[in-house]
Amino acid sequence: MSLINVTCPSCGTALQADDTKEFAFCTECGTKIVLGTPEEEPVSTVETAAGPVPQGGDEAILASLSQALKTEGNFVTNLAGVNECTSQYDRWIYLIGRFKDALGSLQSDVSKETAINEVLAFCDSISKTKISYATGETGKDGNAVTKTYSPDRERANAIKDAKSFFITRFNNLPTRVALSEQLNEELAAANEKVNKLKASVRNTRELAKSSEKEFWTENPEVLNRKRDAKFGALKFLIGGIIVVIIAVVIAAVKKVIWVYGVAVLLLALTIWLANKSSKKAIGKIEQECFPESLKNQKALLESYQKELEAAEIMQKTAQEKLAAFDATRK
C-alpha cells in the first residue's frame, strides 16, 4: 500500500489516499472521490451528493437529490476502523445539509414535501443501520474482531436536530397550513350546521308535541278513534302470537323441527304487519283531523330531521378528511 496525493474537486482540499482503494472521501466536505490510475485525474462522482444545488428548476433539484441518496444509500456496514465510520456519518450529515440548502431553492410546496419525505426516510435508514468495523485485533478463534459503531453525541444530535428541522418545515409548508385551515373551517361549519339543526329539531318537536297534546285534549272523539286503531293492531298481534304458540306446541308434540322456523318467521311477520297497520290507521286519522298548523309543524319537523341526517353525514366526512390529513403529519 502507498499513499497518493489527491485534491478534492469540490472544496480544493489537498489530502492523501490509499492507492489500493477505489475511492476516498474529503475530510473537509465529505465529497466522494473516485481514485483512478496515477496518470488519471481523480474525478468526483458525487456532484449531486456534495456539489452545489443545480440550476434548472425543481425537477432538476429533486433528481439531483434522489441521485445523491442512491449514491450514499448503499450503506457500508463493514469498515476498517472507527475513522472510516465517523467519515461515513460525516458524509451522511453533509448530504442531509444538502437537502436543507435545497429547500431554499425549490419553488413549489409539492417539491419541498417530496424532498422532505425523502430525507426523513434517509434519516430513518441511518438510525436503523448498524455499522460494524474491524478493530485490527484477532480473536481466540483466529478471526478478525469487529465491533458495532455508535456515533458520538455530536453526530447523533446532528441527525436528530436535522429530523426535527425537516418535520417542522413539513408541518409548516404554506400549502399544508392552508389545507389544515380549510379542513378545520369545513369541520367547524359542519358542526355549526348540525348544532343549529339539532336545536331546530328539538324546538319543533317540543312545539309539535305541545300542539298535538292540546289537540287530543280538545278532541276526545278523535283520540278514541286513535285508541281503537291501536287496539285493533294489538288484537291482530295477539292473534298472531296465539297461532305461533299453537305451531310451536304441535312441533314439540310431533317433533317436526322445521315448524319452529316457520313459527319464528310467522311471529316476525305478525309484529311487522301489526306495527304497519297501526301506523297507517293513525296516520290516516291524523291526516283527516289534524288542523293545518299542526300538519305544518309535523312536516317541518320531518324536514329538519332529514336535513340533520344529511348534515351529520357531511360532519362525519369532514371529520374523516381532517383525521386523514392529521395522520400525514410527521
Side-chain angles (χ1 to χ4, degrees), residues 21 25 76 78-91 131 133 149:
K21 302 288 186 180
F25 293 93
V76 179
N78 293 287
L79 300 175
V82 174
N83 289 339
E84 284 196 6
C85 295
T86 55
S87 295
Q88 179 74 61
Y89 262 86
D90 288 343
R91 292 193 300 275
I131 300 179
Y133 65 95
Y149 172 78

Side-chain angles (χ1 to χ4, degrees), residues 61-183:
I61 295 174
L62 290 176
S64 172
L65 295 174
S66 295
Q67 182 58 43
L69 290 181
K70 290 180 181 179
T71 302
E72 294 295 336
N74 296 323
F75 296 105
V76 179
T77 57
N78 293 287
L79 300 175
V82 174
N83 289 339
E84 284 196 6
C85 295
T86 55
S87 295
Q88 179 74 61
Y89 262 86
D90 288 343
R91 292 193 300 275
W92 288 341
I93 293 170
Y94 184 78
L95 175 57
I96 292 171
R98 283 288 320 285
F99 276 83
K100 284 187 178 181
D101 295 338
L103 289 182
S105 301
L106 293 169
Q107 299 300 312
S108 76
D109 284 352
V110 174
S111 298
K112 292 177 182 178
E113 185 173 334
T114 299
I116 290 172
N117 283 328
E118 287 188 353
V119 72
L120 285 176
F122 182 69
C123 289
D124 288 340
S125 298
I126 293 173
S127 62
K128 295 175 183 177
T129 299
K130 295 185 180 298
I131 300 179
S132 60
Y133 65 95
T135 63
E137 302 174 353
T138 302
K140 294 181 180 180
D141 56 1
N143 295 324
V145 176
T146 60
K147 290 185 178 180
T148 299
Y149 172 78
S150 295
D152 56 39
R153 180 177 299 179
E154 181 180 357
R155 290 177 173 82
N157 286 340
I159 295 176
K160 181 180 178 181
D161 292 344
K163 289 182 66 175
S164 297
F165 167 83
F166 287 114
I167 289 172
T168 300
R169 287 295 300 271
F170 180 85
N171 289 330
N172 288 282
L173 287 173
T175 53
R176 290 186 62 81
V177 172
L179 180 57
S180 176
E181 292 175 351
Q182 177 187 336
L183 293 176

Side-chain angles (χ1 to χ4, degrees), residues 37-328:
T37 61
E39 292 79 16
E40 295 175 334
E41 185 72 20
V43 179
S44 170
T45 60
V46 289
E47 181 179 351
T48 56
V53 175
Q55 301 300 313
D58 287 6
E59 186 176 348
I61 295 174
L62 290 176
S64 172
L65 295 174
S66 295
Q67 182 58 43
L69 290 181
K70 290 180 181 179
T71 302
E72 294 295 336
N74 296 323
F75 296 105
V76 179
T77 57
N78 293 287
L79 300 175
V82 174
N83 289 339
E84 284 196 6
C85 295
T86 55
S87 295
Q88 179 74 61
Y89 262 86
D90 288 343
R91 292 193 300 275
W92 288 341
I93 293 170
Y94 184 78
L95 175 57
I96 292 171
R98 283 288 320 285
F99 276 83
K100 284 187 178 181
D101 295 338
L103 289 182
S105 301
L106 293 169
Q107 299 300 312
S108 76
D109 284 352
V110 174
S111 298
K112 292 177 182 178
E113 185 173 334
T114 299
I116 290 172
N117 283 328
E118 287 188 353
V119 72
L120 285 176
F122 182 69
C123 289
D124 288 340
S125 298
I126 293 173
S127 62
K128 295 175 183 177
T129 299
K130 295 185 180 298
I131 300 179
S132 60
Y133 65 95
T135 63
E137 302 174 353
T138 302
K140 294 181 180 180
D141 56 1
N143 295 324
V145 176
T146 60
K147 290 185 178 180
T148 299
Y149 172 78
S150 295
D152 56 39
R153 180 177 299 179
E154 181 180 357
R155 290 177 173 82
N157 286 340
I159 295 176
K160 181 180 178 181
D161 292 344
K163 289 182 66 175
S164 297
F165 167 83
F166 287 114
I167 289 172
T168 300
R169 287 295 300 271
F170 180 85
N171 289 330
N172 288 282
L173 287 173
T175 53
R176 290 186 62 81
V177 172
L179 180 57
S180 176
E181 292 175 351
Q182 177 187 336
L183 293 176
N184 278 287
E185 287 174 0
E186 289 178 3
L187 180 57
N191 289 338
E192 183 179 2
K193 186 173 183 178
V194 167
N195 291 334
K196 285 183 177 180
L197 286 171
K198 283 183 176 180
S200 297
V201 167
R202 182 173 58 254
N203 294 334
T204 306
R205 181 184 290 116
E206 291 176 356
L207 182 60
K209 282 184 177 180
S210 176
S211 299
E212 187 174 350
K213 183 178 180 180
E214 182 179 350
F215 172 82
W216 294 127
T217 302
E218 296 176 352
N219 299 273
E221 71 284 356
V222 181
L223 179 59
N224 289 333
R225 288 178 59 187
K226 178 182 178 182
R227 288 171 178 170
D228 291 341
K230 287 185 175 181
F231 185 66
L234 180 60
K235 288 193 295 184
F236 179 81
L237 177 60
I238 292 173
I241 293 175
I242 292 173
V243 172
V244 170
I245 292 173
I246 294 172
V248 170
V249 171
I250 293 174
V253 174
K254 299 292 186 179
K255 296 182 179 180
V256 182
I257 304 299
W258 60 269
V259 176
Y260 289 108
V262 175
V264 172
L265 291 176
L266 182 59
L267 178 60
L269 180 60
T270 301
I271 294 173
W272 180 76
L273 288 174
N275 185 55
K276 185 176 181 180
S277 63
S278 176
K279 286 184 176 180
K280 184 176 180 181
I282 293 174
K284 184 178 180 180
I285 294 171
E286 291 178 350
Q287 188 64 31
E288 292 175 354
C289 303
F290 275 179
E292 288 300 319
S293 59
L294 183 53
K295 290 180 182 178
N296 291 337
Q297 288 174 0
K298 290 272 191 177
L300 183 60
L301 175 60
E302 185 177 349
S303 175
Y304 280 145
Q305 287 173 332
K306 289 182 179 180
E307 286 186 46
L308 178 59
E309 290 176 1
E312 286 176 336
I313 292 175
M314 293 179 61
Q315 181 188 48
K316 184 178 180 182
T317 301
Q319 290 171 339
E320 291 174 347
K321 288 170 64 176
L322 183 58
F325 172 79
D326 287 338
T328 64

Side-chain angles (χ1 to χ4, degrees), residues 18-36:
D18 183 353
D19 65 354
T20 63
K21 302 288 186 180
E22 295 182 359
F23 55 83
F25 293 93
C26 178
T27 57
E28 293 297 322
C29 68
T31 296
K32 183 177 181 180
I33 306 170
V34 173
L35 302 177

